[in-house]
Amino acid sequence: MTDKSTKSKILRSIVCSIFIGTALLNAQNADKRVPEVRFNTFLYQAKNADFSFPDIKSDFGFVSAFYERICFSFGLLDFVDAETLRKSCAFINRSLKDGKKIQFVVEKYENDADLIFSFGPFADERNTVLVTSNFDVREERLLRRDESMEKSWGMLYYIIDGRIINYTASDNAEKNEDTVHYANEMLYDKNPANDKKIGILLEKEIKQNPSAMAYIVLAQSYFNEKKIKKGLRLLEDNKELILHLSRQTDIADIFNCTYEEGRALELIYGSR
């Protein structure tokens, strides 16, 4: 998990709605504390498919990237309705699987400037997922459309053995004394054989040395194995304990981000 953008902390509450093509999905639980402030998020999908991905067996890689690298880092969990983000995540995921590039736009994110994320493959490499934005990471500001995107925020993922993996991920997680860290590294490394080890390792760790992050990573490992109900139930049943066990000031945000990953996967897969 990464720290939130300094810019995003300025924005506290909004009323949000989302447009997918011409369809409007109303945000049922939008925050109405500041009704005079209204932010919209839009999805612009390409009309025609112009690429094709290899078969993706697990959608966890994309969903965790969307929530942790975008929603958490840019503060979207704070001011965008949860249902809206779930539907956005599911729609973007489906669009990419259908071979259609897509943009996710947060209108007037900073002053009158829109925050824009673009999703598609890197060049003509069909086994990649490239996400770019108009956020300048050095100056921490949004770039105008006529400015160079050379220093803008972005992330690159590879599709390996049906899993979406960050291009910086290790080939094989290196074992160390920190069990939770090791399990987390296995969850995101390039070796799919490690996935089955995570649950056994963390279930034992929780019995012997329970920690907030052990519960968080264990829930994510269930999500990765498409055991969505099991992961959500683990979080729901142990929420108070998780918040109590950690001294991290942002543990509630981390918990919420992880829980929303499960809810988005529930929407993608249906109830499992």
Side-chain angles (χ1 to χ4, degrees):
M1 305 291 290
T2 54
D3 293 331
K4 294 180 182 177
S5 164
T6 301
K7 299 292 184 182
S8 67
K9 292 180 181 178
I10 299 173
L11 302 170
R12 297 301 180 190
S13 59
I14 63 165
V15 178
C16 179
S17 58
I18 178 173
F19 289 86
I20 297 179
T22 58
L24 171 61
L25 301 175
N26 291 321
Q28 300 296 324
N29 301 310
D31 190 341
K32 295 181 174 62
R33 287 177 296 174
V34 190
E36 69 275 14
V37 178
R38 181 179 178 86
F39 273 57
N40 294 316
T41 60
F42 296 88
L43 288 171
Y44 295 102
Q45 183 191 61
K47 290 184 178 180
N48 301 314
D50 60 2
F51 64 90
S52 62
F53 281 150
D55 183 43
I56 297 175
K57 300 174 183 176
S58 173
D59 294 279
F60 170 73
F62 174 79
V63 171
S64 65
F66 179 82
Y67 272 93
E68 295 175 25
R69 299 296 302 278
I70 294 177
C71 299
F72 186 90
S73 296
F74 286 86
L76 302 187
L77 291 167
D78 291 338
F79 61 83
V80 176
D81 172 65
E83 185 181 358
T84 296
L85 287 179
R86 290 177 212 141
K87 290 178 178 178
S88 297
C89 181
F91 191 85
I92 296 168
N93 185 64
R94 182 71 264 166
S95 180
L96 292 173
K97 284 186 172 183
D98 290 341
K100 297 179 180 180
K101 296 176 182 177
I102 190 166
Q103 281 192 336
F104 175 52
V105 179
V106 181
E107 189 179 45
K108 297 182 180 179
Y109 175 81
E110 182 182 86
N111 299 323
D112 288 328
D114 298 342
L115 174 62
I116 304 171
F117 297 97
S118 300
F119 300 79
F122 176 69
D124 295 325
E125 298 186 34
R126 63 185 295 267
N127 65 329
T128 63
V129 180
L130 177 65
V131 186
T132 59
S133 76
N134 64 332
F135 182 76
D136 189 304
V137 293
R138 292 188 180 181
E139 297 184 12
E140 293 191 349
R141 66 178 180 87
L142 298 181
L143 297 168
R144 299 187 306 272
R145 293 183 182 274
D146 60 345
E147 288 187 279
S148 171
M149 298 293 173
E150 184 178 346
K151 300 176 183 177
S152 65
W153 177 96
M155 56 185 185
L156 177 65
Y157 288 78
Y158 290 119
I159 301 173
I160 302 174
D161 295 319
R163 299 154 71 239
I164 296 179
I165 305 294
N166 193 300
Y167 85 103
T168 61
S170 62
D171 291 332
N172 194 46
E174 185 176 343
K175 191 171 183 179
N176 60 61
E177 295 181 358
D178 187 332
T179 301
V180 178
H181 177 78
Y182 176 47
N184 189 68
E185 290 294 303
M186 286 195 291
L187 183 61
Y188 293 102
D189 70 10
K190 296 176 182 176
N191 183 0
N194 282 334
D195 292 354
K196 297 294 183 182
K197 302 176 185 178
I198 300 170
I200 298 171
L201 192 66
L202 289 181
E203 286 167 2
K204 181 179 179 181
E205 177 73 7
I206 284 173
K207 291 179 180 179
Q208 297 178 347
N209 185 31
S211 67
M213 292 311 298
Y215 281 102
I216 294 291
V217 179
L218 179 58
Q220 290 181 310
S221 74
Y222 292 151
F223 295 159
N224 187 42
E225 294 176 4
K226 298 185 180 180
K227 299 175 182 177
I228 313 304
K229 275 188 175 181
K230 188 174 183 179
L232 288 173
R233 188 165 56 247
L234 178 73
L235 294 174
E236 291 166 352
D237 292 348
N238 296 281
K239 181 176 181 178
E240 290 186 12
L241 177 61
I242 292 169
L243 299 182
H244 174 73
L245 284 172
S246 179
R247 294 182 179 179
Q248 291 180 240
T249 57
D250 60 351
I251 188 60
D253 294 328
I254 292 173
F255 178 92
N256 184 44
C257 182
T258 306
Y259 186 77
E260 287 303 319
E261 288 175 14
R263 292 299 305 277
L265 286 165
E266 192 175 45
L267 182 62
I268 291 171
Y269 293 139
S271 181
R272 293 197 180 192

